[in-house]
Each structure stands twice: as C-alpha cells, then as structure tokens.
Amino acid sequence: MHAGSLHINYVAHQDIDKAKWDATIEQSPNGLIYASSAFLDNMSPGWDALVAGDYDFIFPVTWRSKMGIKYVCQPAFTQQLGMFSKKETSAEVLPDFLIRLSTRFRLIEIFLNYQNVMGDNVAHHNFILPLTPSYEIIASSYKQDLMKNLKRCAKYDMRYRPADTATPAIQLFQETYQQRMGAKADDYKKFDSCIQQLMQQGRAFVRNVISPGGELLACGVFAKDQRRIYNLASTTLPNGRMMEANHFLFDQLIREFAGSGLILDFEGSDQPGIARFYQKFGAIDQPYYFFKTNRLPAILRWWKR
C-alpha cells in the first residue's frame, strides 16, 4: 500500500456502520477500547470517521465546534486514537489520513496511538505490563522498594474487593484530581455513563481496597477488552496513602489477572513520579504520539490560546 493510493472517505456519524467499525477495532493489531464505538459514542457524541476500503483502515474524527469553527480534539479519558486497520498498520498510509483530516479542519490537536509513529511528533509515555506469566514470575521483576512497601501493606490486613457500581469511584477521582486533570463536570458525567455501559457488557470493572474496619483506602476503575486492562481512574485516599494502598491495589490486580495473556495498561505517565511508580512493577514504556496542526487565520489564534 503506497501513500496516495488510498481512497479515504469522510463518513458522517449517522452513516458509520458501527458493526463493521467495531470488527475492525477488534481485528486491528493496535485496537484499543478508546476507539470502540461504545467508548466514542459516550465520550465524543456525534463523532465522524475517515474510512478507506470496506473499513480496512479507519480513523475516528472527534470534532467539536466553538464560535462556528469546527476543530478536532481529544475527548476526555481517551488516551489514544488515530488510525487503526485490519492489516498491519502501515506508516506510509498514516500521512494520507492526516492530510485528509487537515483538508477539512484547520485546527487539529489529537493523540495518535502507539503504532501511529511519526518521527517529528511529540512522544508521550505510557507504561504497560504483560500479564501472560504467572504472578510469581511477574512479581520476581518487582523493584526492591515495592517489595518493601508490600510487606508493610501486609501488616494492615487490607482487603481487595469488587464493587458493583463505578459512580462513587468516579466521583472520588473527580474530587481528588479535577484540578490536575482539566476535565470538566460534563466529561465526568459522560465517563460515568460510558463505564456503566461497559460494565453491563462485561468490559469494565471496579476494584476497592478496604481496611479491616470497612474504610475505603483506594479504588480503581478499569476497562477491559480482549487485549488489555486499562487503568482509567485510580484514586488513593489520605489514609490509604499512609498505608501504601495503591501499591496493594495494583499488586492484587496483577495477582488476579496474571496468566490471562492480557496487558495491564497503566495509562501513563509523563510525570516522573507516576512513571517511577509504574516502573516498580516491571512495566515498560510504550510511547504514543501527539499530532497538531493550526491553520486558523492569525486573528483567530488568540481564541485557541
């Protein structure tokens, strides 16, 4: 497949064949839950698409409008999008999609996925841990200070438990991290609806860490597809921080899914402290890429700032 040889159609939301779309995401070597129609319908209602062939190559277009100007941006809680394909994702094809997108939108700011590699684009860190081996083998790669912290955790006799709803965990995440995340109240509502829908489909779950007296110490909202478990929103409460409850949460999650063949996707991070925390578990960096183009007239660039 050579650059320029693809006919790429712009498909409006109501014309997207979502069964074909989801089949491509499932078959794509780089398929991610963020690009599933259910996730996009919730987090970017009315999204459009670029499609080549019979959904052989696809690219979600998560557009918004402000002051009559349509632009493409990344929806909240959606780490990576970009191009997906049933075939091996070709680096030659990606520029065709970005050019096609740029002919329609003057302002684009999106995160492409880890296989959409473009040399001059800014790379962001994302740590992953394959859960194919047994727990014992995975834990043998834990860093020394993590082992020490887990020993401390054992003294507190914490409990690792499922929860049947995600709403309290999402509210807690919002209260704790809203300033840092930059997501709006409406984004959290959409995210809650998204997780409720995924939980009904068996594609999301919540895990809590509780003290022997029943106090919530940490919680995590996770999505799951046939390849990955995604750490979408995990929160540690003040008492939980003192007890290293976040170390316990992820260690128990790894114990639960070890040997499953899935990948634990920690979802970040560019922040050195958080990156170091994930690396303690033996996680490796799988970077993804930021793409930006701004061809707004000079007079409108102030608006973007």
Side-chain angles (χ1 to χ4, degrees):
M1 188 73 68
H2 297 290
S5 65
L6 271 188
H7 180 66
I8 301 168
N9 293 307
Y10 189 95
V11 183
H13 183 77
Q14 65 274 14
D15 299 323
I16 297 167
D17 185 326
K18 290 187 182 167
K20 284 187 178 181
W21 179 278
D22 287 331
T24 297
I25 295 300
E26 277 173 34
Q27 291 167 46
S28 176
N30 59 327
L32 295 165
I33 203 162
Y34 317 110
S36 67
S37 64
F39 207 96
L40 288 165
D41 284 347
N42 279 288
M43 299 314 302
S44 183
W47 59 283
D48 295 337
L50 296 176
V51 177
D54 188 20
Y55 287 77
D56 297 316
F57 294 87
I58 60 176
F59 193 118
V61 181
T62 50
W63 64 273
R64 283 189 200 159
S65 178
K66 186 174 179 180
M67 292 176 8
I69 298 164
K70 279 186 168 185
Y71 62 102
V72 183
C73 61
Q74 199 76 1
F77 296 98
T78 309
Q79 190 195 53
Q80 306 177 34
L81 289 172
M83 188 182 74
F84 301 88
S85 118
K86 291 181 206 170
K87 300 163 186 177
E88 206 47 55
T89 306
S90 166
E92 291 177 337
V93 171
L94 180 61
D96 294 5
F97 277 83
L98 297 175
I99 289 163
R100 183 78 175 83
L101 198 60
S102 301
T103 60
R104 197 162 181 120
F105 297 93
R106 285 170 168 258
L107 176 63
I108 303 164
E109 292 184 337
I110 49 173
F111 289 96
L112 305 171
N113 66 70
Y114 66 95
Q115 274 195 6
N116 289 179
V117 183
M118 287 187 73
D120 53 351
N121 286 352
V122 178
H124 291 264
H125 301 293
N126 185 51
F127 289 90
I128 61 164
L129 179 67
L131 301 177
T132 302
S134 67
Y135 172 76
E136 288 69 28
I137 290 170
I138 296 171
S140 69
S141 295
Y142 283 3
K143 298 278 191 287
Q144 207 55 49
D145 61 340
L146 172 59
M147 299 297 290
K148 237 190 281 184
N149 287 334
L150 290 173
K151 272 188 186 146
R152 272 188 64 208
C153 289
K155 288 186 210 161
Y156 298 115
D157 196 23
M158 291 181 265
R159 312 280 200 273
Y160 173 76
R161 296 282 182 268
D164 53 10
T165 174
T167 303
I170 291 169
Q171 285 171 348
L172 204 55
F173 185 82
Q174 183 176 1
E175 286 160 19
T176 310
Y177 301 118
Q178 191 161 19
Q179 301 309 111
R180 196 177 82 194
M181 282 285 296
K184 299 182 173 74
D186 185 51
D187 294 323
Y188 284 96
K189 274 192 201 134
K190 289 176 186 167
F191 184 53
D192 198 351
S193 302
C194 182
I195 297 301
Q196 282 182 47
Q197 186 181 341
L198 292 177
M199 282 179 88
Q200 285 162 10
Q201 298 167 351
R203 295 199 291 160
F205 60 92
V206 178
R207 293 293 181 266
N208 290 336
V209 175
I210 298 162
S211 75
E215 182 191 358
L216 183 64
L217 301 171
C219 54
V221 179
F222 303 95
K224 180 174 172 285
D225 58 20
Q226 77 274 25
R227 291 190 190 88
R228 294 184 179 220
I229 292 166
Y230 303 80
N231 171 32
L232 296 180
S234 56
T235 310
T236 310
L237 287 94
N239 281 351
R241 266 197 285 280
M242 282 161 49
M243 299 182 195
E244 314 284 6
N246 55 340
H247 296 75
F248 181 76
L249 173 67
F250 284 103
D251 174 62
Q252 291 296 306
L253 183 74
I254 290 163
R255 194 184 285 271
E256 181 181 357
F257 289 97
S260 65
L262 296 169
I263 289 167
L264 173 53
D265 187 330
F266 284 104
E267 264 222 346
S269 166
D270 291 329
Q271 296 185 21
I274 299 173
R276 277 195 300 275
F277 173 72
Y278 297 148
Q279 286 172 302
K280 287 178 187 181
F281 293 90
I284 51 170
D285 191 11
Q286 185 184 63
Y288 60 105
Y289 302 88
F290 181 63
F291 174 78
K292 175 179 179 173
T293 179
N294 186 346
R295 295 183 299 107
L296 290 173
I299 197 158
L300 288 176
R301 293 193 182 203
W302 63 268
W303 157 70
K304 182 59 199 87
R305 284 201 296 278

